[in-house]
Amino acid sequence: LTSRPNFWREVFCIRKTARQDVLKQWRRKYGRYLIEISLTMNFPDPLSPQYKAGVLLINTGSPDTPDAASVRRYLAEFLSDERVIELPKWKWWPILHGIILTVRPAKSAQRYKGVWTKDGSPLIVHTRNTAEKLQAALGADVKIEWAMRYGNPNVKKVFKSLAASCEKVLVMPMFAQYAAQTSAACVDEVLSTMLKMRSQPSLRTVRDYHLEPAYIDALAAQVKASWEQFGRHDEVGGMLVMSFHGIPKKSSELGDVYERQCKETAAALAERLELREGSWMVAFQSRFGREEWLTPYTLPTVQRLGKTCSRVDVICPGFAADCLETLEEIGDELRCAYQLENPDGAFHYIPALNDSDKAVAAYETIIRRELGGGGWLEIHRTRPHIKAISSVDCRLKGGSEQD
């Protein structure tokens, strides 16, 4: 067939212009060989994705370095997000730029130095390690990337890079319990990036996974690892405090599901650990500002427990990785507050999931399920020169040579 006069010239015309008269002429001359041609010739597709799917893990973020300048840049981006601070700009920005960004960066930088590792921010280190382990678990067909909603690596840059090599992208905010201040803020950034993209991938997001059995199993494994070292807290009259990051109380009143999902996660974990009633409780930490947040607050709660309990264990189920709020606020500040009330008492902070094998297995379970399901936001791509040949191919496969 390929030795026929002008054959390659006609094929070249089809690939370059897809003119209808050339298509008709080619179908008339070589119709009976078309299926064989389509199987043996490789027509290049410039839009063909490198991977079957991409996954973008997003966490809150961290300063680049533990110094005042980096912390100021990070806080400026973080506290300027209207999802995080739901106040009018005319009311909030004078407070942010006039007071907070002037006073707070230096103090926060000292706190970050206390948790900084030789490899950098613990949040970034654990997130990166989790992504690498997920890449190994999911194989070469799926591309795993990670980004920070605030700070670096930037969501916009990472998402654009991922979308360039994947036809569909799954966005997974690393927050088991959905909140507008966290999960929605991550999705906002992705969607705002897509609005300016000429070639958009199909998109799907993981809204929450607060009752995912594998996630509850991973949390239970963290608690049991602590028990193996220190024994069960309930056997000595202790208390397990499940401390979640707080949000303003008005968020729940406006319909945010975060508070309910936190309590459902805590109840599921208590059931998995077979804890009896009265040996565990839920509290909310990291209150910011004077506005009322979800209660009970972790700090005063643990201070009260210091007067009645000989042992307090604290786990933070809502944090996918250890960070300033867990290592410094819970591991240091809360420990000191408890021991001031009970110098002879025992206080144990149970580490976050981080990049543990159980955590990676839980994320892998979620990702495989989401990639295999429907509900994708489809953005169809066009392939002009391939589309013409495919249409001829489809007609001939189901009909006679004359058709």
Side-chain angles (χ1 to χ4, degrees):
L1 178 63
T2 57
S3 64
R4 290 177 179 269
N6 299 324
F7 173 81
W8 290 110
R9 184 182 302 173
E10 292 168 0
V11 172
F12 178 76
C13 290
I14 291 175
R15 293 180 61 189
K16 297 296 288 185
T17 64
R19 290 172 53 187
Q20 292 300 317
D21 55 339
V22 177
L23 280 174
K24 292 177 181 178
Q25 183 181 8
W26 193 40
R27 186 166 66 249
R28 193 164 51 247
K29 285 185 177 181
Y30 311 120
R32 65 177 181 272
Y33 301 107
L34 183 56
I35 295 178
E36 181 180 350
I37 294 172
S38 66
L39 292 175
T40 58
M41 296 188 64
N42 181 24
F43 294 95
D45 181 0
L47 296 178
S48 178
Q50 184 177 354
Y51 301 94
K52 289 184 177 180
V55 179
L56 178 59
L57 309 177
I58 308 178
N59 216 318
T60 304
S62 174
D64 295 326
T65 55
D67 59 69
S70 294
V71 173
R72 184 177 292 107
R73 287 194 300 270
Y74 171 73
L75 290 178
E77 183 182 5
F78 175 54
L79 297 177
S80 295
D81 191 342
E82 295 180 359
R83 287 284 195 180
V84 176
I85 305 296
E86 297 180 289
L87 290 174
K89 288 185 178 181
W90 65 266
K91 185 177 182 179
W92 170 242
W93 279 43
I95 300 174
L96 174 62
H97 294 277
I99 302 175
I100 295 176
L101 294 181
T102 302
V103 177
R104 191 165 179 176
K107 295 180 179 179
S108 296
Q110 293 299 319
R111 298 176 64 194
Y112 275 107
K113 287 180 181 178
V115 302
W116 215 258
T117 71
K118 63 178 182 179
D119 297 320
S121 163
L123 177 68
I124 289 180
V125 171
H126 291 309
T127 304
R128 179 176 62 237
N129 291 343
T130 299
E132 291 174 354
K133 290 184 177 181
L134 278 172
Q135 185 66 79
L138 291 167
D141 288 340
V142 179
K143 177 64 174 175
I144 305 292
E145 292 287 0
W146 60 279
M148 296 291 145
R149 174 60 185 86
Y150 313 101
N152 295 306
N154 182 273
V155 169
K156 290 186 177 181
K157 292 181 180 179
V158 176
F159 181 78
K160 287 180 180 179
S161 174
L162 188 61
S165 60
C166 303
E167 196 166 55
K168 62 180 182 179
V169 175
L170 174 67
V171 175
M172 183 174 177
M174 303 297 285
F175 308 101
Q177 297 77 28
Y178 175 90
Q181 292 87 346
T182 54
S183 304
C186 295
V187 175
D188 286 349
E189 189 72 358
V190 170
L191 294 179
S192 67
T193 303
M194 288 186 66
L195 286 173
K196 300 178 182 179
M197 293 174 62
R198 181 171 297 275
S199 179
Q200 298 174 323
S202 300
L203 183 69
R204 189 169 186 172
T205 64
V206 177
R207 185 176 188 270
D208 60 72
Y209 50 93
H210 70 292
L211 289 178
E212 173 66 38
Y215 162 68
I216 301 299
D217 287 342
L219 292 175
Q222 294 295 99
V223 177
K224 290 178 180 178
S226 177
W227 285 352
E228 290 178 0
Q229 185 176 1
F230 304 109
R232 290 180 66 107
H233 70 280
D234 51 359
E235 292 179 350
V236 294
M239 179 69 70
L240 175 64
V241 178
M242 304 182 196
S243 181
F244 295 84
H245 199 295
I247 62 172
K249 187 176 181 180
K250 73 174 183 181
S251 295
S252 292
E253 296 172 350
L254 292 173
D256 204 311
V257 299
Y258 179 74
E259 181 180 10
R260 173 176 60 80
Q261 290 190 351
C262 288
K263 293 179 179 179
E264 290 176 349
T265 296
L269 177 57
E271 182 180 0
R272 187 64 51 88
L273 294 171
E274 298 181 348
L275 297 178
R276 61 176 177 267
E277 188 175 352
S279 65
W280 63 276
M281 65 179 303
V282 174
F284 297 93
Q285 66 181 81
S286 308
R287 181 187 178 191
F288 177 78
R290 298 180 179 179
E291 186 179 6
E292 183 179 6
W293 281 32
L294 297 180
T295 56
Y297 300 128
T298 299
L299 178 58
T301 297
V302 171
Q303 287 175 327
R304 288 193 298 270
L305 289 173
K307 300 176 181 179
T308 59
C309 290
S310 61
R311 172 176 163 182
V312 170
D313 293 357
V314 181
I315 186 172
C316 301
F319 291 86
D322 277 318
C323 55
L324 185 69
E325 287 82 357
T326 62
L327 298 174
E328 200 266 350
E329 183 179 346
I330 301 298
D332 291 338
E333 289 185 1
L334 194 64
R335 180 191 304 274
C336 291
Y338 173 78
Q339 292 178 340
L340 283 175
E341 298 294 336
N342 188 350
D344 298 326
F347 180 97
H348 303 124
Y349 167 63
I350 300 173
L353 295 179
N354 296 324
D355 57 342
S356 64
D357 292 341
K358 287 280 189 179
V360 173
Y363 301 143
E364 181 186 356
T365 298
I366 296 169
I367 290 170
R368 288 188 183 279
R369 181 178 64 243
E370 295 295 326
L371 289 179
W376 288 86
L377 174 61
E378 297 288 350
I379 310 295
H380 295 289
R381 302 184 178 196
T382 59
R383 299 171 170 80
H385 63 283
I386 299 298
K387 187 176 181 180
I389 295 175
S390 298
S391 64
V392 175
D393 184 46
C394 290
R395 283 196 295 270
L396 289 176
K397 282 181 180 180
S400 65
E401 182 178 328
Q402 183 177 355
D403 293 337

